[in-house]
Amino acid sequence: MKIPRFSRKMLCIPYAVFLIFFVILPMLVILFYAFTDKNMHVSFSNFIRFFSDPTKLSTIVYSLVIALITTVACLIIAYPVAYILARSKLKKKFVIVMLFVLPMWINFVLRVNALREIFNLIAISPAMEWLTSANYFKTIVGMVYDFLPFMILPLYTTMLKIDGSLYEASADLGGSAFTTFTRVTIPLSMPGILSGITMVFLPSMTNYVVSDMLGNAKVTIIGKFIYEYFGTDWHMGSMVALVLLAVVFLSTWLSGGFQSEENVRGANL
Amino acid sequence: MKRVTSLLLAGAFLLPTLATLSGCGGSGDEIVLKVYNWEEYIDEGGEGSFLYDEFMGENGQEEEGELLGADFLDWYKETTGTPLTITEEGPSVIDDFEKWYEKTYGEKVTVEYSTFGTNEDMYNEIVLGNEYDLLCPSDYMIMKLAAEGRLEKYDEAFFDETDENNYYVRNVSPYIAGKFATNAGLATLDNLWKDYAAGYMWGTTGFVYNPETVSEEQLESLDWRVFIEESAPFTNKITAKDNVRDTYFAAIGVTFEEELTALYQKFLAKELTAEEYTKELTKYFNDTSDEAIEKVEPTLMKIKENIYSFETDTGKADLVNGNINLNYAWSGDAVYAMDLAEEENDCYFNYFVPLSGSNLWFDGWVMPKGVSERGTKQAAQAFVNFLSMPYNAMRNSYFIGYTSVISGEKNEMLDYADYLYGYYPEDEFEEGEEYPEPVEYDLSYFFLGENYGEDVEHITIPADPEQASSRQLYAQFPPESVIARCAVMDYYGEEASVRINELWSRVKAETLDAWAIIVICVTVVGIALFTVFVKFGNKIDLRRKPKKGYKFVSREDPTRI
């Protein structure tokens, strides 16, 4: 009997095992549950029920809108910060970057809870009383607060890599500051933008802890639906999860997330 | 060949590990009892436990307790075989059970204790095939599990009062035993509850409220309608539960308040017996017919508009912080919120149970199928018996803050109620000081059963009038007048549950109009197509196919002329 020689390919075995048990098998199980009924017979009833139910479609739409606003807000806040940080000659740049990243290391439930208390405190003043019932607003603020570091970091790392001489070249060729920004900075930081968007957009469609705590459980996003269905009806829950997967897949594909060029994914954390 | 040998070797190494992991207690004479309970639903000792508070003084000195004394220490030594030592971590009721079991039955038992957060989580675990020997679900979940044939019945010997180790049957309150023997719900089960379940904790649901902002008169006149009252101090200052069953129950209360009140009036006028009244009430609160759902849905929408939040455990803190004025709560949570407010904020909350009817709930111990085969049934039943010893019932009740189903063979739990809530003004006030006169708080129904009659001496404790009418005592040991107007929630059945869950998702989520969905979908598809076109548009060649032997020059070809 031939003893198999150690080859470099064998290093992949642990990951392959992980892949099979924690990625491929669960996916198949979800697929199986989504297209079966209570008696485990193949059925499209969940599929039909999902797409004929305005509540579920509305929830998808609402989640998309919430995620979209969160992402845009994160981008607007994060882009200038990352730009300034990356181009500044500060010696302690690292410290400032750390300040943005540090909150990520503190338990997330704790941070959301603290934010909830801050909102309560602000809402005490009569002028800010509207805040108590502004559940969507609070949810979005919470999500922006929570996902901001995920936007700053990839932007910062890509911008750091932009060669400074390119800015000089642009100026030499008569480009104004604005032209330099639109023709040099933005195109070259595109990989960071895309990676930031994927990292903020997707979790903000499903992170129902934020919407429960800050939206007083009156804001329902698609993640909460999945959670609730898994308490009562696994088949429908799997179908909702599958639809979400499709939405995520589509949006990633459209935003160019699957392009194989090195620099596109390079900025991913 | 080498490979086969190494595989065998590996297998040989793994086997013992697997055997320990499965831990079914098949090996040797040690039994492993897997108990699956709610979080923080048993006394695990240490600070905050009854024994710690009773025997440890302010500065950690051991001292005699107010209620527990030498009798208890003797009992403890007798039961567990070891003298009582109180530490930061113990003694836990679970460890004491292990000692007691070995001493009584001569077998070693190890309790594997784990916890769950909701009935549904527990149900999923069971359905997935996880093996447990003893579970503690709520009333409707017990019925669901029993209806699906997932439970094993208690042995007849468990109910034998002559066996001195059958503590449950000898100590359980006759009132609770009566409920379990007659199926307090709609009797959807062929068998009786008591065949499958032994009680653990019980209580009501109602409103904890801040009497400074909400008056009892307002509550009495609005009753369930506080949920939809669009004026201060109710609107946006009240919470509902973030689960369909409790909120559906409340919405029924709001929707059918007139009918329910009429029913209550009939009961008060003695036109209905207590039994008939409970039956009617139970029917109303468990109505999941299409007509009922249709009527309740708009109410639920109104409730959602009017409340501050749906919550499961933030309500207590919100009430203490003043974010809300009313919190719809289980009685045990209500007691906890009231205690917390008194201790930390020096403010007082009250508890109110709607007049037109409310919810009476139980949590009970059940054994899933398979305990007999695993040989753990005796230990499981013994565990229930151990928890039913009056002293242990006190320990658990004190730790959890809920009300135990145990009354005690010699009404031991009366001493406990008296210890917590007994009111003796002559000891508390100096002479000449003014104080409220104590009232006799009647708990006869709990200690003597429903048919205690008029000629029997009533069982009462002297109580502070406020405690008796609206505070912790009222919440933790509800008077008979309150439980008379409470109904148990049933298991709705498979088909009705689906409809109720759909209703809940409609309530929780915002539903857009059909045209809005269509517009948005069309926009999204449009954007998608546009992006695809921008990305791949240059690859689409609309020119006619060239003749054979010719080819078009690619648009991107740099050599193109």
Side-chain angles (χ1 to χ4, degrees):
Chain A
M1 202 177 202
K2 216 174 127 190
I3 301 165
R5 289 244 323 267
F6 176 80
S7 72
R8 220 187 298 173
K9 277 182 196 160
M10 284 169 89
L11 287 174
C12 292
I13 290 176
Y15 183 65
V17 170
F18 176 85
L19 208 66
I20 288 167
F21 282 99
F22 294 101
V23 180
I24 295 171
L25 265 182
M27 288 281 197
L28 290 177
V29 171
I30 285 189
L31 201 68
F32 172 76
Y33 266 98
F35 288 102
T36 47
D37 61 10
K38 278 241 141 60
N39 309 316
M40 297 297 173
H41 295 151
V42 176
S43 131
F44 284 89
S45 64
N46 294 321
F47 186 78
I48 295 163
R49 252 171 70 205
F50 186 94
F51 285 102
S52 58
D53 182 356
T55 311
K56 297 194 180 69
L57 294 176
S58 307
T59 309
I60 289 250
V61 170
Y62 267 88
S63 313
L64 270 172
V65 172
I66 290 177
L68 210 65
I69 299 175
T70 307
T71 315
V72 171
C74 278
L75 194 61
I76 291 174
I77 299 172
Y79 201 90
V81 174
Y83 180 71
I84 293 165
L85 272 180
R87 292 208 62 193
S88 75
K89 302 233 157 35
L90 274 175
K91 272 185 188 157
K92 304 279 183 217
K93 256 196 285 198
F94 177 71
V95 178
I96 301 174
V97 176
M98 278 311 291
L99 281 179
F100 281 102
V101 181
L102 209 62
M104 284 207 298
W105 299 347
I106 291 169
N107 184 293
F108 144 81
V109 180
L110 203 67
R111 276 181 290 143
V112 177
N113 230 329
L115 196 60
R116 186 183 144 88
E117 289 311 312
I118 291 173
F119 277 131
N120 285 340
L121 217 64
I122 297 172
I124 289 175
S125 87
M128 299 298 284
E129 225 185 334
W130 56 272
L131 207 56
T132 28
S133 44
N135 295 317
Y136 281 93
F137 174 77
K138 286 192 282 185
T139 304
I140 289 173
V141 173
M143 290 207 180
V144 170
Y145 167 63
D146 221 62
F147 299 131
L148 195 57
F150 294 100
M151 186 65 99
I152 291 183
L153 228 52
L155 281 175
Y156 173 71
T157 37
T158 15
M159 286 190 204
L160 213 55
K161 279 194 272 176
I162 300 176
D163 194 340
S165 52
L166 289 172
Y167 298 118
E168 286 161 20
S170 169
D172 282 353
L173 294 168
S176 66
F178 181 75
T179 323
T180 310
F181 182 71
T182 49
R183 309 278 303 260
V184 178
T185 319
I186 291 190
L188 285 174
S189 61
M190 216 49 196
I193 297 176
L194 286 179
S195 138
I197 287 175
T198 12
M199 287 171 76
V200 172
F201 186 75
L202 307 181
S204 51
M205 274 189 81
T206 49
N207 197 326
Y208 65 86
V209 178
V210 178
S211 62
D212 267 9
M213 280 170 98
L214 295 170
N216 284 332
K218 281 168 133 186
V219 173
T220 301
I221 56 173
I222 201 74
K224 176 85 174 177
F225 250 32
I226 298 175
Y227 166 76
E228 288 206 332
Y229 270 112
F230 270 93
T232 51
D233 180 358
W234 286 33
H235 303 275
M236 195 64 208
S238 301
M239 180 49 81
V240 182
L242 209 61
V243 171
L244 179 68
L245 188 78
V247 171
V248 167
F249 184 87
L250 258 177
S251 50
T252 315
W253 181 60
L254 289 180
S255 68
F258 293 130
Q259 282 171 23
S260 56
E261 283 109 277
E262 210 176 280
N263 60 344
V264 173
R265 297 274 92 184
N268 224 329
L269 272 180
Chain B
M1 219 30 236
K2 250 185 184 169
R3 241 171 147 189
V4 181
T5 335
S6 61
L7 268 178
L8 279 176
L9 263 174
F13 276 121
L14 271 174
L15 267 177
T17 340
L18 282 175
T20 10
L21 278 176
S22 67
C24 281
S27 62
D29 46 5
E30 188 172 315
I31 302 166
V32 175
L33 183 70
K34 292 186 180 171
V35 179
Y36 199 31
N37 193 7
W38 293 89
E39 282 154 15
E40 298 192 12
Y41 220 46
I42 200 163
D43 178 3
E44 291 183 80
E47 251 175 274
S49 73
F50 192 33
L51 301 188
Y52 193 92
D53 285 0
E54 275 287 275
F55 290 108
M56 301 296 267
E58 298 260 306
N59 34 24
Q61 291 290 308
E62 282 196 32
E63 55 179 38
E64 187 128 313
E66 211 180 305
L67 177 69
L68 307 178
D71 288 351
F72 176 82
L73 295 176
D74 290 344
W75 170 84
Y76 188 85
K77 199 169 175 196
E78 169 77 30
T79 314
T80 62
T82 49
L84 176 68
T85 37
I86 293 169
T87 60
E88 293 289 328
E89 284 98 37
S92 122
V93 170
I94 301 167
D95 296 341
D96 289 349
F97 164 73
E98 289 172 356
K99 290 181 199 157
W100 172 76
Y101 190 83
E102 193 177 355
K103 196 166 169 283
T104 314
Y105 295 96
E107 280 177 308
K108 223 175 146 44
V109 66
T110 311
V111 176
E112 253 177 45
Y113 186 77
S114 45
T115 58
F116 57 83
T118 67
N119 279 305
E120 283 68 29
D121 288 350
M122 180 224 61
Y123 178 78
N124 279 343
E125 286 279 301
I126 299 302
V127 173
L128 279 176
N130 284 306
E131 282 179 352
Y132 293 100
D133 301 309
L134 202 57
L135 317 167
C136 186
S138 304
D139 34 36
Y140 78 94
M141 188 51 81
I142 296 175
M143 289 185 243
K144 183 179 161 95
L145 289 168
E148 291 175 4
R150 297 186 193 274
L151 298 184
E152 196 139 332
K153 287 185 181 179
Y154 277 85
D155 289 334
E156 263 177 45
F158 182 75
F159 298 100
D160 177 9
E161 290 196 35
T162 54
D163 185 339
E164 61 157 1
N165 287 325
N166 280 345
Y167 291 93
Y168 177 74
V169 71
R170 287 194 287 119
N171 287 304
V172 67
S173 150
Y175 164 71
I176 303 285
K179 289 274 175 199
F180 274 63
T182 54
N183 288 14
L186 286 176
T188 38
L189 282 180
D190 297 333
N191 296 90
L192 297 174
W193 286 6
K194 75 171 180 119
D195 293 341
Y196 298 108
Y200 186 43
M201 296 285 158
W202 71 288
T204 57
T205 56
F207 297 99
V208 199
Y209 65 97
N210 186 346
E212 281 174 22
T213 48
V214 178
S215 74
E216 200 177 341
E217 290 73 43
Q218 280 175 312
L219 288 174
E220 278 173 4
S221 71
L222 284 168
D223 220 46
W224 282 109
R225 273 177 291 127
V226 289
F227 272 124
I228 53 166
E229 176 62 34
E230 289 170 3
S231 66
F234 302 103
T235 187
N236 211 5
K237 291 278 185 188
I238 179 170
T239 60
K241 288 276 164 233
D242 193 11
N243 72 66
V244 58
R245 299 185 62 91
D246 286 297
T247 305
Y248 184 74
F249 192 96
I252 291 222
V254 180
T255 317
F256 298 102
E257 215 212 314
E258 265 175 44
E259 290 91 331
L260 292 167
T261 311
L263 216 56
Y264 184 52
Q265 295 302 336
K266 267 192 190 168
F267 166 68
L268 288 183
K270 305 235 157 134
E271 285 169 37
L272 285 175
T273 65
E275 208 172 302
E276 286 166 342
Y277 175 51
T278 315
K279 215 167 179 183
E280 285 295 307
L281 203 63
T282 313
K283 247 187 229 164
Y284 263 108
F285 278 114
N286 288 295
D287 192 351
T288 51
S289 63
D290 284 331
E291 303 96 75
I293 291 183
E294 211 172 289
K295 280 186 192 161
V296 167
E297 185 161 352
T299 315
L300 277 169
M301 295 296 181
K302 268 195 224 163
I303 291 178
K304 184 189 175 186
E305 280 307 303
N306 201 44
I307 58 169
Y308 173 74
S309 73
F310 290 109
E311 54 90 33
T312 17
D313 48 22
T314 51
K316 289 169 267 189
D318 279 334
L319 189 68
V320 174
N321 295 343
N323 292 335
I324 52 170
N325 294 326
L326 290 104
N327 176 24
Y328 181 54
W330 297 288
S331 48
D333 276 0
V335 174
Y336 178 80
M338 287 188 263
D339 286 345
L340 193 75
E342 265 173 49
E343 280 162 28
E344 291 185 6
N345 295 47
D346 203 28
C347 62
Y348 293 88
F349 293 150
N350 288 357
Y351 184 66
F352 172 77
V353 179
L355 294 176
S356 57
S358 191
N359 177 218
L360 180 72
W361 57 264
F362 304 96
D363 290 332
W365 295 106
V366 297
M367 296 174 288
K369 278 258 155 75
V371 277
S372 299
E373 288 83 54
R374 287 197 292 277
T376 45
K377 194 171 184 184
Q378 190 203 16
Q381 293 178 121
F383 190 79
V384 176
N385 276 324
F386 185 74
L387 296 185
S388 305
M389 293 181 186
Y391 278 133
N392 291 332
M394 287 177 204
R395 288 165 73 183
N396 286 327
S397 189
Y398 186 90
F399 186 82
I400 306 164
Y402 279 52
T403 319
S404 170
V405 299
I406 300 300
S407 63
E409 216 174 353
K410 302 188 191 81
N411 292 346
E412 288 92 337
M413 291 305 274
L414 186 69
D415 300 334
Y416 175 70
D418 185 61
Y419 154 81
L420 285 180
Y421 301 113
Y423 174 59
Y424 300 94
E426 59 274 20
D427 301 342
E428 286 175 37
F429 296 92
E430 305 263 327
E431 259 191 56
E433 257 185 294
E434 270 193 38
Y435 53 79
E437 282 297 318
V439 291
E440 290 295 310
Y441 194 75
D442 198 331
L443 287 170
S444 309
Y445 80 93
F446 183 72
F447 288 97
L448 301 172
E450 268 171 343
N451 308 311
Y452 57 86
E454 308 239 312
D455 45 341
V456 185
E457 199 186 332
H458 282 215
I459 292 185
T460 60
I461 55 169
D464 177 280
E466 280 199 347
Q467 277 288 344
S469 66
S470 54
R471 291 264 165 82
Q472 285 97 326
L473 173 60
Y474 178 78
Q476 200 168 11
F477 296 93
E480 199 177 3
S481 59
V482 165
I483 54 124
R485 54 172 203 263
C486 285
V488 175
M489 249 194 265
D490 245 328
Y491 164 51
Y492 299 146
E494 188 96 11
E495 186 256 343
S497 296
V498 171
R499 280 185 290 130
I500 293 284
N501 289 331
E502 290 299 321
L503 167 72
W504 186 238
S505 61
R506 286 200 295 278
V507 171
K508 283 299 293 291
E510 306 280 346
T511 306
L512 294 166
D513 289 333
W515 64 265
I517 297 178
I518 293 172
V519 167
I520 292 169
C521 287
V522 168
T523 324
V524 170
V525 172
I527 294 174
L529 286 178
F530 178 74
T531 325
V532 170
F533 186 74
V534 167
K535 272 174 87 152
F536 303 109
N538 55 356
K539 288 190 186 148
I540 302 168
D541 206 329
L542 294 173
R543 288 172 293 183
R544 241 194 312 157
K545 242 179 142 189
K547 276 183 196 158
K548 223 175 177 186
Y550 292 83
K551 68 169 188 184
F552 285 127
V553 180
S554 162
R555 284 180 186 178
E556 276 133 36
D557 194 344
T559 57
R560 186 177 158 210
I561 310 147

